[in-house]
Amino acid sequence: MTAIDTLLSEYWPHIAFLTSLCIGAVAAVHAAMTKTDVRAAIGWVGVILLSPFFGALFYIIAGINRVRKDQISQQRDAALKEYGASTTQTITSVSQYSAPQFESLKILGDTIGHFPLLIGNRATMLQSGDETYPAMLKAIEQARHSIVLQSYIFDHDSEGIKLAEALERAQNRGVQIRVLIDAVGSKYSRPPMIRTLRKKKIPCALFMTNPLGMRMPYANLRSHRKILVVDGEIGFTGGMNIRAGFVKAIAGSKATRDTHFCFEGPIVAQLMAVFAHDWRFTTREILPVDEWCSKQWATTNGSVPARGIRSGPDRNIGSNHSMLLGAFAVAQSHIRIQSPYFLPDITLLGAIATAARRGIQVDIVLPGENNLRLVSYAMMAQIDQVIKSGCRVWLNQDTFNHSKLITVDNAWSYIGSSNIDPRSLRLNFELDVEMYDRNLAQQISAQIDHEISHSQRLTIDQLQAIPFVKKLRNKIIWLASPYL
């Protein structure tokens, strides 16, 4: 036995301890120096100190933002300048379309959104897969030049196959196609749709491939965006993935409900710019604006001022969060919120509570039965904070609704892929749209009010009646809410 073998056999516990201590110290310093949220920094440092080796390993897997902010921002800026040059129908005042109190909100969007607010758009609200998928299929079948499609989940089921076959037919007609699916979302179905698309030789890619190869539904840095742009003229976005479960004819009485939107007008160029950036970041391929972005929208007889709001764990971190704070601050009469996952941070909770205490009527509509049980438990652990401030919280008694809708004063609306939870507000790449249009806001408000008419109001008495064991369970899970 050599001296090294003797040393290792006698002192391996000490060596292991010192090694784990060094690894833990490096990880703790990294967390303290790179995290911008003090609660996240404290949480990660605490986990690492409790278990220097395994805590550091967990931090490496789930805690480090691997997206290079400088690189991704440079690529985004290039894409925005190129595509933004074709969007000239900007608007300086929103009062005639919306309400005077939203002038300051427009300035906020100008500051953090990087996209201009554009007039001349037409927005059509689509209900679940029953209306959305046929509209998407029709647009794909009529495509002449180009199609881009981005989704968090693109299931290999009856609806996904219909879209894949329509894309194949379009490609056979000579249409240029690009499809981008999130690497984690791709694993929600077997076999993954990406295999089918590759067999059909449709250009496609996975966003941020997971090195561990696992599904990991709570993994960070996911592209949660949903985009379809056809010929650069018509665009679809919202909160709905591509899954047969959204179609009532297939899922029956248990079909998941959602709301998607079809846009025509200059905002389509913004949707295309977001896709072009994500595609370039993933594949390094540049999509030239003159080939992928039409100017036919200039003749659209739309009147909706709209702007895309991109957010993600890069330079745009917190853009959606800031827009919501601004909207709640200028509200004068009514805030309506519909979200499947409602876990606002302390800042948003304070803004919502303050609005209610100012006399603003705040209605929050949540699912009575959630598809993510852990998230539902965490929601119930903190929902009393908004109820005590005077907000009305409603639990819908119909089937699960995945819609993400917000209206303020029946004059401003906010739709898209963002949930009101830490994952959407800090960890995912999201795409939302703000619209300054009374008619559209009233239409969305009416839909939320319809949900309220089929809901049960949640009260403090009901929360207090929950058994202690369940309250404790909810609070324990709530402690992990930043990572749900």
Side-chain angles (χ1 to χ4, degrees):
M1 181 178 293
T2 65
I4 295 178
D5 292 335
T6 302
L7 182 65
L8 291 176
S9 64
E10 292 183 5
Y11 295 101
W12 71 263
H14 305 82
I15 295 173
F17 173 75
L18 290 175
T19 301
S20 65
L21 196 63
C22 291
I23 293 173
V26 172
V29 170
H30 187 277
M33 295 299 293
T34 59
K35 295 299 177 184
T36 57
D37 187 329
V38 65
R39 293 165 300 166
I42 292 173
W44 279 116
V45 171
V47 169
I48 294 167
L49 292 180
L50 285 173
S51 178
F53 180 78
F54 291 104
L57 179 62
F58 183 48
Y59 174 69
I60 292 171
I61 295 174
I64 297 178
N65 184 348
R66 292 175 175 78
V67 178
R68 288 184 55 194
K69 296 184 180 181
D70 55 347
Q71 178 189 31
I72 199 170
S73 297
Q74 290 171 6
Q75 292 178 356
R76 171 179 286 117
D77 290 345
L80 295 186
K81 288 179 181 179
E82 187 177 11
Y83 281 88
S86 63
T87 57
T88 58
Q89 294 178 263
T90 58
I91 181 173
T92 57
S93 176
V94 298
S95 295
Q96 69 180 102
Y97 305 97
S98 181
Q101 66 265 31
F102 295 106
E103 292 290 353
S104 61
L105 188 62
K106 176 197 173 294
I107 295 173
L108 174 64
D110 292 340
T111 303
I112 67 174
H114 303 292
F115 279 138
L117 182 66
L118 302 174
I119 189 61
N121 300 289
R122 182 183 296 120
T124 303
M125 190 159 58
L126 302 171
Q127 299 302 325
S128 299
D130 301 295
E131 293 183 0
T132 302
Y133 298 151
M136 292 170 66
L137 283 169
K138 180 179 179 181
I140 292 173
E141 296 289 5
Q142 295 177 349
R144 305 181 306 277
H145 309 296
S146 64
I147 299 170
V148 299
L149 174 62
Q150 181 173 357
S151 185
Y152 175 60
I153 298 174
F154 191 161
D155 269 353
H156 192 278
D157 55 24
S158 59
E159 298 307 299
I161 291 172
K162 286 180 184 177
L163 281 172
E165 291 176 345
L167 291 172
E168 183 180 29
R169 289 192 293 272
Q171 182 168 256
N172 292 337
R173 297 195 306 270
V175 177
Q176 293 191 80
I177 298 175
R178 301 292 186 273
V179 179
L180 185 60
I181 307 172
D182 184 76
V184 170
S186 175
K187 297 180 182 299
Y188 274 72
S189 67
R190 289 285 187 267
M193 178 56 74
I194 194 76
R195 295 183 188 175
T196 300
L197 296 175
R198 287 169 176 166
K199 288 180 181 178
K200 296 179 181 295
K201 301 187 183 307
I202 295 174
C204 56
L206 293 176
F207 182 89
M208 294 285 286
T209 302
N210 177 10
L212 298 181
M214 297 183 293
R215 174 176 163 181
M216 296 178 65
Y218 296 121
N220 297 341
L221 307 181
R222 305 322 325 156
S223 174
H224 199 234
R225 295 165 176 161
K226 290 87 176 177
I227 301 171
L228 171 65
V229 175
V230 177
D231 291 338
E233 299 175 7
I234 182 170
F236 296 81
T237 194
M240 190 160 57
N241 295 296
I242 301 172
R243 314 190 81 172
F246 289 101
V247 179
K248 195 169 185 179
I250 298 172
S253 60
K254 295 185 178 181
T256 299
R257 294 175 298 141
D258 208 329
T259 308
H260 220 62
F261 287 79
C262 175
F263 289 97
E264 297 173 84
I267 193 176
V268 177
Q270 296 183 355
L271 303 185
M272 185 63 219
V274 175
F275 178 91
H277 159 258
D278 284 349
W279 182 260
R280 181 179 179 181
F281 172 72
T282 304
T283 68
R284 308 301 182 209
E285 180 189 11
I286 299 175
L287 303 181
V289 62
D290 56 347
E291 296 181 17
W292 293 85
C293 189
S294 170
K295 292 189 178 180
Q296 293 300 315
W297 43 257
T299 61
T300 301
N301 295 320
S303 60
V304 177
R307 178 201 337 250
I309 301 293
R310 296 158 302 110
S311 58
D314 54 10
R315 182 160 39 168
N316 290 303
I317 189 168
S319 295
N320 47 9
H321 187 272
S322 296
M323 289 305 302
L324 296 182
L325 287 176
F328 298 155
V330 302
Q332 293 187 1
S333 60
H334 202 155
I335 297 172
R336 292 176 176 86
I337 300 171
Q338 182 172 356
S339 178
Y341 316 120
F342 185 77
L343 282 169
D345 61 15
I346 190 171
T347 308
L348 267 180
L349 277 173
I352 295 170
T354 300
R357 289 171 179 143
R358 288 194 291 115
I360 309 301
Q361 181 172 318
V362 180
D363 285 303
I364 303 169
V365 184
L366 309 175
E369 291 188 12
N370 208 302
N371 68 330
L372 296 180
R373 186 172 298 180
L374 295 181
V375 175
S376 180
Y377 293 158
M379 286 165 55
M380 290 301 103
Q382 73 168 35
I383 199 66
D384 63 310
Q385 298 182 52
V386 293
I387 296 177
K388 289 177 180 178
S389 68
C391 300
R392 303 192 303 184
V393 175
W394 306 90
L395 300 182
N396 189 268
Q397 302 302 299
D398 210 331
T399 56
F400 177 67
N401 196 322
H402 193 250
S403 301
K404 306 102 165 44
L405 305 170
I406 298 174
T407 65
V408 176
D409 296 345
N410 286 324
W412 179 87
S413 49
Y414 194 80
I415 64 94
S417 64
S418 293
N419 298 303
I420 304 180
D421 64 6
R423 186 157 297 280
S424 281
L425 299 176
R426 293 191 65 85
L427 301 177
N428 285 346
F429 294 90
E430 306 281 0
L431 175 62
D432 304 312
V433 177
E434 62 161 344
M435 293 170 284
Y436 296 77
D437 182 79
R438 293 187 187 92
N439 292 332
L440 187 59
Q442 290 169 7
Q443 184 182 356
I444 297 173
S445 294
Q447 177 169 312
I448 297 175
D449 288 342
H450 179 75
E451 290 292 305
I452 292 175
S453 69
H454 292 80
S455 302
Q456 178 183 7
R457 187 172 177 180
L458 184 63
T459 65
I460 291 295
D461 291 340
Q462 290 173 323
L463 291 174
Q464 291 176 344
I466 298 175
F468 174 79
V469 174
K470 291 186 177 180
K471 287 182 181 178
L472 180 60
R473 174 203 63 190
N474 294 349
K475 284 294 185 181
I476 292 174
I477 295 172
W478 172 70
L479 293 175
S481 60
Y483 310 104
L484 290 180

